[in-house]
Amino acid sequence: MRAGRNPEDIKLIAITKTVDINRIQKAIDWGLRIFGESRVQEAKEKISKFEFRNSKLKIEWHLVGYLQKNKARIAVQLFDLIHSLDSIELAAEINKNAEKIGKTQRVLIQVKLSEEETKHGVAREDLMDLMKAVSEMKRLNLEGLMTMPPFFDDPEMARPYFKELRELRDNAENSGFTLPELSMGMTNDFEVAIEEGATMVRIGTGIFAGGS
Ligand SMILES: *Cc1c(COP(=O)(O)O)cnc(C)c1O
């Protein structure tokens, strides 16, 4: 492939917000196994139906949207991986709820690299403190970083954001953290994200738009 990456190193997360369960079922039939939702409540309704129907398949559910502290308990019950950890308070809440059910919760830290008010994530200046705090929480397993650049028509415009996330990761690894995952790239810009080192791409409309 163009980026010279091994396709096995890149996981496709099918983003199913607003996608109904019949279409998710079709995606499972096509062979997709990792699904991402952006809202806890919507995910809860869907996942409860799938657990029963697909109990023999290894399906993963990821939370890719903003997580409020008061939803941490449900999120820990539902999700294999939370991409949107962005504060020490939220980390503590996830850790506490994971402890209660004897789970180790996999998490990514979402980093805010753009100035847009609407984007969530920890500021780059606060990333190191958050990583240190998370690494001391016994029920959290920090696997990497996530970011979401502004939307651009030209995907090349997103490249600096992806590059910066990779550099933040590389710097953190030089300080002793192990952060294999980089969750970055969506329908419009995933190729650029892969060139810059993405290990997880989050694709919604590219899979589910149009048709049924
Ligand atoms: C909706 C969403 C996506 C998928 O976006 P598409 O442009 O439809 O591929 C990826 N990540 C997050 C956090 C999202 O909310």
Side-chain angles (χ1 to χ4, degrees), residues 15 17 38 64-65 146 148 185-188 202-206:
I15 305 299
K17 62 178 183 230
S38 59
V64 300
M146 180 273 222
M148 198 165 160
M186 311 186 354
T187 299
N188 192 50
R202 310 182 306 267
I203 311 291
T205 48

Side-chain angles (χ1 to χ4, degrees), residues 24-191:
I24 301 175
Q25 183 61 51
K26 277 193 191 158
I28 292 172
D29 297 342
W30 295 334
L32 294 182
R33 291 293 177 269
I34 313 180
F35 297 94
E37 286 280 339
S38 59
R39 292 174 52 223
V40 173
Q41 190 56 38
E42 182 181 340
K44 187 179 172 204
E45 286 157 24
K46 292 177 187 172
I47 294 172
S48 60
K49 296 182 178 128
F50 280 106
E51 271 170 356
F52 171 68
R53 284 161 79 183
N54 297 291
S55 56
K56 290 204 191 74
L57 295 177
K58 259 187 81 190
I59 291 177
E60 281 189 22
W61 291 92
H62 292 189
L63 180 66
V64 300
Y66 177 63
L67 177 58
Q68 286 173 290
K69 282 201 290 288
N70 63 10
K71 300 261 172 67
R73 185 180 64 84
I74 311 179
V76 166
Q77 290 167 0
L78 293 177
F79 296 106
D80 297 286
L81 178 64
I82 296 172
H83 292 227
S84 49
L85 178 57
D86 65 356
S87 73
I88 295 179
E89 296 73 28
L90 178 59
E93 203 59 30
I94 296 172
N95 187 60
K96 184 181 83 187
N97 283 286
E99 169 89 62
K100 275 187 200 155
I101 61 169
K103 178 182 184 184
T104 299
Q105 178 66 55
R106 299 164 53 206
V107 295
L108 305 179
I109 290 178
Q110 179 173 357
V111 189
K112 180 176 151 86
L113 299 176
S114 76
E115 301 311 315
E116 286 177 295
E117 288 294 320
T118 55
K119 292 281 191 295
H120 295 284
V122 67
R124 46 172 93 61
E125 309 80 67
D126 300 327
L127 176 60
M128 191 50 86
D129 284 346
L130 179 54
M131 286 193 302
K132 282 183 188 150
V134 169
S135 64
E136 279 161 19
M137 296 186 194
K138 293 205 166 51
R139 292 292 176 165
L140 298 187
N141 192 13
L142 176 60
E143 298 190 346
L145 304 178
M146 180 273 222
T147 199
M148 198 165 160
F151 178 85
F152 300 106
D153 287 323
D154 176 5
E156 278 301 324
M157 302 280 287
R159 187 182 297 276
Y161 297 89
F162 298 143
K163 191 164 183 280
E164 184 175 2
L165 194 73
R166 174 167 45 86
E167 288 168 356
L168 287 170
R169 189 275 306 273
D170 292 347
N171 290 342
E173 291 210 317
N174 288 338
S175 328
F177 291 94
T178 306
L179 302 169
E181 305 290 358
L182 285 177
S183 167
M184 56 189 198
M186 311 186 354
T187 299
N188 192 50
D189 54 20
F190 71 90
E191 287 176 306

